[in-house]
Every structure is written in C-alpha cells, then in structure tokens.
Amino acid sequence: MSKAEKNTEAILSGNMITAILSLAIPIVINNFIQTMYNLTDTYWLGKLGTNEMASISLVTPMQNIIINFGAGLTLAGSILISQYVGARDKKNAQSMANHIFICSMVFALICGLICFLTTPAIVTWLGANETIHKMGTTYLRIVITDLPFLFMINIYSAVNQAQGDTIRPMKLNMLGIILNMIFDPLFIMVFKWGIAGAALATMIAKVPCALIAVISLFNSKNEIAVNLKKFKFNSKMLYRILSVGLPTAIGNSTMQFGFLLMTKNVLTYGNNAMAAYGIGNRINGIITMPANAMGSAAATIAGQNIGAKQLDRAVDSYKKSRIISVAFLFGAGFILSRSFVSTSVVKIFSSDGNVIPMAAEFLSIMALWCWTNGIYNTTVGLFNGAGNTIVTMIVDAARLWVFRFATLFIFSHFFHMAEQSVWYSVVASNGISALIMYICYKLGWWKWRIPKDIINDRMIKK
C-alpha cells in the first residue's frame, strides 16, 4: 500500500482526532512558513523606516486579491481531487490534476502581465503620496512577477493535500522561507536595495521550490501525476472546476478588494496608522493559523468522505475540528491580548514610538476575539469539502463589503473613534460572519451540491 493510500485509509476509517491533527499540524507549520515570507520582509523593512512599512502595507491587499483569486482554482482542484480519491477513482483524479495545472498556469501568466502593466495606476488610485507611490509600485511589480512560481507551488500543495499528505508541501515551503531569510538581510541591508530587495528576496526564494514542485507533479511514479501528453480537454471537468473554484475565487478576491479599500480608509489617519494596521494584521495572521489549518483539514477529510459516501464522518470531522480550533484560539488569544504581551510582540517589528502603541492596541483587540475565526474557518471547510462554495462566496464578500464597512461607518461617524473604528470593525465583522456561517450549517445548506444518491445513501447527522 502506497503512502497516499495509507493516508486515504486513515481519513476514511481511522481515528478522527488523529486524522485531523495529522493533516492540520503540517498545515499550521506550512501556513506559518508562508506568513514568514511577509513577516521577514516586515521585520527588515521595519529597520529602514515607517514609509517602507506603510508602502508594503498599502499594496499587499492588491497582491492578495490576485493570489486569492488564483487560489480559488487550486482549492477547487484540491476539493475535487479529494472527492475522486475518496471514491477510488484514480483516472479522474489524474485528469482533474491536469486541468487544474493548465487553468492555474494560464491565469498566472495572463494576470501577472496585466497587473505588472497597471501597477502605477493602481498605486495612484490608492492615494499614495510620491514617496510611498514609488516604493509601493516597485514592490508590487516585483512580487507580481513571481505568480507562476507561486502557483506551481500551490498546485503541488493542492494535489498532495487532496491525498491527505500535508507534510511534503510543508517541507517544500520550509526551503523557501530559509532562502528568503537569507536573501532578505542580504538584499535589504547589505546590498542596500531597500523595498526592491525585499520583493526580490521573496521571488528568488520561490524559484527552486517551484522547480521541485513541477518535477514532483510530473513524476509518473506518484499516485496522482500531471501528464500533459495524455491531456484530453473535458468540458465537464472544466465546468466542475469553475462551478467550485469561481465562487471561491470571486469571494476571496472580493474580500481582498475590500481589504484594499480598508487600507485607503486607514491611510486617511496617516502613515503611522497604516504601519500599525500592517503589523497588527500580520501578527494576527499567525494567531489564526490553527483556524485556517483546521478549515483546510476539515475540507480534505469532508471531501474524501463525501466521495466515499460517508457524510456522517464528514460532519464528525467538522465538529471536532471546530472544537479544537475554538479552544486553542480562545486560550492563545487571551494571552496575546494582554497589553504587555502585545506591546512586546509589536516591538519586534517596529521601533517607532508612534506606531507601537497603535499596533499593540489593534493586536490586543483582534487577539481577544480571534476564537470566532475558529468557527468561521472550520465551517467554511465543511462547505468547501462538500463543493458548496456559493454560500462561502456570499458570506466572504459580505464580511468585508457589508459587515465591516457598515461597522466602520458606525464607529467612525457616530462614535468618532478615529483609527480605533478600524480595529473594532475587524472583530465585529468577523464575529457576525462566523455566526452566519454556523446558522447556514445548522440549516443544512452545506449539502446543496452533494448528489442526491449520496445524501439518500445513509442517515446524515446535523
């Protein structure tokens, strides 16, 4: 029995807690590694000054819009491949891997070129002053260029995670962050390339990882491999990718576009607030990694079990993932919300006396309420695993465009809270979205995209 087959057996019939943790822990480490790319940039750029920090904080949401749209395609691949794996349908699993590879790479090349050409106009629209405009344009253009490399790595992760293997993607990204941690101080501090050095370090670190990913994806000895020579276009598979991937892509990119507009709102309070916002968001990203990992684990386990017509086990994986996630985030968030702890952490990334108290306050508020992310992400994971990404798209979009901007307007215009209105709008919108996703789960909406024969095959526990 191959390693992939052993992983599938553990997901379909093994101990559920063991299956969740064996998937989630490597994903946490992997997500931390991914975040370290930006945190490493943040740390070294913080040594240069507030303008550099404000520049990268301003353009990062635009970068995330593009990345998250493309990630919708690779997420669709992971979900659909996992369902084929659970159904023991190797032929269609491999065909799906071929379709996902082609779709993702075409998107990366076309979108990368368009965004490279329009970057100056985008940064101007964001309202940057002359100094920040120049830095932001330089950084965004370079990081956009690495899209093909990033997507090769993401496809590799999606194919492996669909088979229950989250360790190999973790190891690959570990190589990337080690290279980035070497190149960042070299390019920024030694070569004095500033913000361009940070972007180049991130891009160059991805190149060897992307090459390894492609070699592995095309290795015919693997259980599921990409083989373009035998590729046959299948309109039904393309439809499945788009029907599952597009809602996720639109929801994620719409949400990230909302983040982009949030940065415009934050920038009105000055560069210090912009830098504080960027630092707080990056640190909070680390806190909520377990929720993201539990959501990914729940999606993979749900996908395979739905493919195997074991819906009761899919629901069980969701419930256990949610409990573990909420418990961990509540404890960790409470500790980090203490003022002396949050201030100490923020000081790692900034020495500016004006930025530190603002970033520490933002971090404390988010940390105290981060447990709601545990409910939100794991519930989204169940919906995604079932292929119902329409609901998650709507709630993702509403989280920013309705709940966050509405609460931001209320806090700023009626309570005159200045930059604090941004801090509190973040936690309020996250909490509302978590509640709505949980209600959707209780109403049974996650089952909408599951074939009727699977639903009727056995009793489903809510």
Side-chain angles (χ1 to χ4, degrees), residues 117-189:
L117 297 175
T118 57
T119 291
I122 291 170
V123 179
T124 298
W125 174 76
L126 288 171
N129 60 37
E130 185 177 350
T131 301
I132 292 185
H133 185 281
K134 182 178 179 181
M135 291 180 179
T137 300
T138 299
Y139 183 84
L140 186 57
R141 272 189 159 170
I142 295 173
V143 295
I144 287 299
T145 306
D146 80 0
L147 277 181
F149 306 119
L150 175 63
F151 277 71
M152 289 177 194
I153 297 169
N154 287 348
I155 296 165
Y156 172 85
S157 298
V159 170
N160 281 278
Q161 185 172 319
Q163 300 173 80
D165 183 0
T166 54
I167 294 178
R168 288 203 292 177
M170 177 194 73
K171 291 180 177 178
L172 185 65
N173 282 300
M174 181 69 77
L175 170 63
I177 186 55
I178 290 173
L179 293 174
N180 192 48
M181 292 178 74
I182 294 171
F183 293 143
D184 252 340
L186 181 65
F187 292 172
I188 295 174
M189 308 306 292

Side-chain angles (χ1 to χ4, degrees), residues 383-418:
F383 275 74
N384 286 344
N388 185 359
T389 53
I390 294 290
V391 172
T392 58
M393 175 194 73
I394 295 171
V395 178
D396 261 348
R399 179 158 61 137
L400 265 293
W401 290 95
V402 179
F403 310 137
R404 187 157 302 178
F405 285 116
T407 52
L408 176 64
F409 178 82
I410 292 170
F411 291 144
S412 61
H413 287 77
F414 292 99
F415 295 97
H416 308 290
M417 295 172 67

Side-chain angles (χ1 to χ4, degrees), residues 318-327 374-375 378-379 438 441:
Y318 158 66
K319 290 180 177 179
K320 287 183 168 62
S321 298
R322 188 184 68 211
I323 291 170
I324 295 170
S325 184
V326 170
I375 298 173
T378 52
T379 310
Y438 183 73
Y441 155 70

Side-chain angles (χ1 to χ4, degrees), residues 248-263:
T248 302
I250 293 170
N252 287 346
S253 58
T254 301
M255 183 177 67
Q256 292 297 330
F257 187 70
F259 285 137
L260 191 66
L261 294 183
M262 282 291 291
T263 62

Side-chain angles (χ1 to χ4, degrees), residues 148-326:
F149 306 119
L150 175 63
F151 277 71
M152 289 177 194
I153 297 169
N154 287 348
I155 296 165
Y156 172 85
S157 298
V159 170
N160 281 278
Q161 185 172 319
Q163 300 173 80
D165 183 0
T166 54
I167 294 178
R168 288 203 292 177
M170 177 194 73
K171 291 180 177 178
L172 185 65
N173 282 300
M174 181 69 77
L175 170 63
I177 186 55
I178 290 173
L179 293 174
N180 192 48
M181 292 178 74
I182 294 171
F183 293 143
D184 252 340
L186 181 65
F187 292 172
I188 295 174
M189 308 306 292
V190 178
F191 294 166
K192 307 294 184 182
W193 290 350
I195 200 166
L200 283 169
T202 301
M203 182 180 72
I204 294 173
K206 288 189 176 76
V207 174
C209 299
L211 292 176
I212 293 171
V214 169
I215 292 171
S216 177
L217 284 169
F218 282 83
N219 186 350
S220 59
K221 294 181 181 180
N222 289 333
E223 194 73 16
I224 297 176
V226 175
N227 188 341
L228 299 183
K229 290 182 179 179
K230 295 182 179 180
F231 173 75
K232 291 183 179 179
F233 175 73
N234 186 319
S235 59
K236 290 183 179 180
M237 281 202 169
L238 180 60
Y239 173 77
R240 291 201 72 192
I241 292 170
L242 295 179
S243 64
V244 174
L246 269 184
T248 302
I250 293 170
N252 287 346
S253 58
T254 301
M255 183 177 67
Q256 292 297 330
F257 187 70
F259 285 137
L260 191 66
L261 294 183
M262 282 291 291
T263 62
K264 284 177 66 71
N265 282 279
V266 177
L267 194 59
T268 61
Y269 299 112
N271 289 353
N272 290 332
M274 189 72 249
Y277 181 69
I279 292 171
N281 272 334
R282 283 175 172 77
I283 299 172
N284 186 63
I286 296 177
I287 310 169
T288 55
M289 278 180 191
N292 297 330
M294 287 295 177
S296 296
T300 299
I301 296 172
Q304 287 202 19
N305 280 283
I306 288 169
K309 299 184 178 182
Q310 298 181 161
L311 273 67
D312 53 344
R313 189 170 170 83
V315 173
D316 186 46
S317 71
Y318 158 66
K319 290 180 177 179
K320 287 183 168 62
S321 298
R322 188 184 68 211
I323 291 170
I324 295 170
S325 184
V326 170

